[in-house]
Amino acid sequence: MTAERAVTEFSPRFEAVAAVGLGESFAVHTADCYDGQLSDERAVRPDVDMARFNRASGPVAVTGTRPGEWVRVVIERIEVAGRGVLALTPGLGVLGDTVEHPSTRVLRVSDGRAWLTPEVGIPLRPMVGILGVATARETVPSSTPGEHGGNLDTRVLTAGTALAVRVNQPGLGLCVGDLHAAMGDGELGGTGVEIAGEVRVRVERLGDHTGNRPLVLAPEGVHVLASRTTLDDAVRDGFREAVALMARWHDLEWPDAYRLTSVVSDLRVSQVVNPRTTARIAIPAQWCPDSLLATCGRSSHSCLG
């Protein structure tokens, strides 16, 4: 599926650009978050047509998916293009008030790195910024994360992991976009190494899982994702979900699940720069059901050149 078929919002209704079956592997091509508008360093972020910002390729219909059930979107492979972009502009990122002038760096991707300068190469760790499905009721811009997924900007959402998400509409309505060649936790400067590429995924039923928040299923464990307007609220929602899961997984009353989750899990911050911030609670694999993690760890990434 090509990057020309893309959306800038998630909603309850969608017009599918393609249809696949459960368990079927398929590839999605994506533009970078600027839709290729920063083609060289003379172009700067204020020049970008924001109507084309954070376009997510899709939606793809997955036949046989039903509202209320949970699926995992397994990321089998990520291939990134041969150039990425890092743009700064006043107001972007947590120190955006100190950025005086917009500027752009175009980074060559080669030898497993994205080159900021000829001497400074950033190791590639490709990840998916936007991965989401049709919503239950509201219409949400593609730049905003939520219970449907969306712009989660979570660095652990990479090849060999899966996003667990609830199906809200028949056919799921899956969209993919906003790839990064690399990004730090928090996305503190308001950007990763923004890049075009191709993502190969498949969608599977998750069985008897129930919950309220999307999860990243990874070889090292389960990451509970919560996105709210403030980081404090996101942390509270994420930890509440993690405690509920631990109570169910280990047949514990809530007070003991609260104690256990506090001791064994870690708070991490996916991003603090989107309209809703995203916190994640990382639960190590030894405390997670094997059934959740069964498909993780058998994937790869490469450069398209």
Side-chain angles (χ1 to χ4, degrees):
M1 190 183 68
T2 66
E4 284 73 29
R5 305 293 299 274
V7 299
T8 55
E9 63 184 25
F10 291 88
S11 68
R13 293 183 174 83
F14 65 91
E15 182 178 347
V17 302
V20 299
L22 279 164
E24 179 181 346
S25 177
F26 62 98
V28 180
H29 297 267
T30 74
D32 67 31
C33 72
Y34 300 113
D35 200 23
Q37 295 178 80
L38 300 184
S39 57
D40 60 54
E41 296 189 352
R42 293 170 298 178
V44 291
R45 185 168 163 132
D47 298 334
V48 168
D49 177 3
M50 296 304 286
R52 295 164 55 189
F53 183 64
N54 269 342
R55 296 172 79 240
S57 298
V60 175
V62 182
T63 58
T65 53
R66 301 183 298 268
E69 69 181 358
W70 281 72
V71 296
R72 56 183 160 210
V73 183
V74 181
I75 303 173
E76 298 180 341
R77 183 177 177 85
I78 301 174
E79 297 182 354
V80 296
R83 59 178 293 281
V85 175
L86 282 172
L88 296 184
T89 198
L92 181 65
V94 299
L95 300 181
D97 57 344
T98 66
V99 177
E100 296 182 356
H101 306 288
S103 61
T104 300
R105 290 286 182 269
V106 176
L107 287 69
R108 175 177 55 88
V109 175
S110 65
D111 302 320
R113 294 176 181 266
W115 294 92
L116 181 64
T117 71
E119 295 78 27
V120 179
I122 302 164
L124 296 184
R125 195 177 188 277
M127 46 81 63
V128 181
I130 297 176
L131 187 59
V133 303
T135 60
R137 288 174 297 276
E138 63 179 339
T139 295
V140 182
S142 58
S143 295
T144 301
E147 293 179 14
H148 67 290
N151 194 24
L152 295 163
D153 279 333
T154 292
R155 71 189 299 264
V156 296
L157 199 53
T158 187
T161 72
L163 179 71
V165 66
R166 183 168 47 211
V167 180
N168 296 311
Q169 303 298 334
L172 193 62
L174 179 69
C175 296
V176 184
D178 187 31
L179 299 188
H180 301 120
M183 192 194 85
D185 262 343
E187 201 178 18
L188 296 171
T191 183
V193 180
E194 311 295 340
I195 200 161
E198 178 186 287
V199 184
R200 179 164 288 277
V201 301
R202 70 179 186 273
V203 178
E204 304 172 341
R205 281 201 178 92
L206 199 52
D208 62 357
H209 175 73
T210 59
N212 297 299
R213 304 288 170 187
L215 313 173
V216 176
L217 313 177
E220 70 273 12
V222 169
H223 301 261
V224 181
L225 305 181
S227 301
R228 293 288 300 274
T229 303
T230 71
L231 182 58
D232 284 351
D233 285 344
V235 171
R236 286 176 58 86
D237 280 5
F239 189 56
R240 182 181 294 111
E241 182 83 351
V243 171
L245 291 174
M246 291 286 273
R248 190 177 310 128
W249 294 343
H250 298 285
D251 194 24
L252 295 172
E253 296 296 326
W254 190 91
D256 279 340
Y258 186 69
R259 294 181 179 101
L260 178 62
T261 311
S262 178
V263 170
V264 304
S265 67
D266 294 306
L267 167 63
R268 295 167 186 167
V269 179
S270 292
Q271 58 78 25
V272 293
V273 294
N274 295 336
R276 297 173 187 159
T277 63
T278 303
R280 72 180 190 270
I281 309 300
I283 306 172
Q286 70 186 90
W287 300 102
C288 305
D290 290 340
S291 59
L292 279 182
L293 307 180
T295 61
C296 297
R298 299 198 301 271
S299 304
S300 62
H301 72 261
S302 66
C303 178
L304 288 170

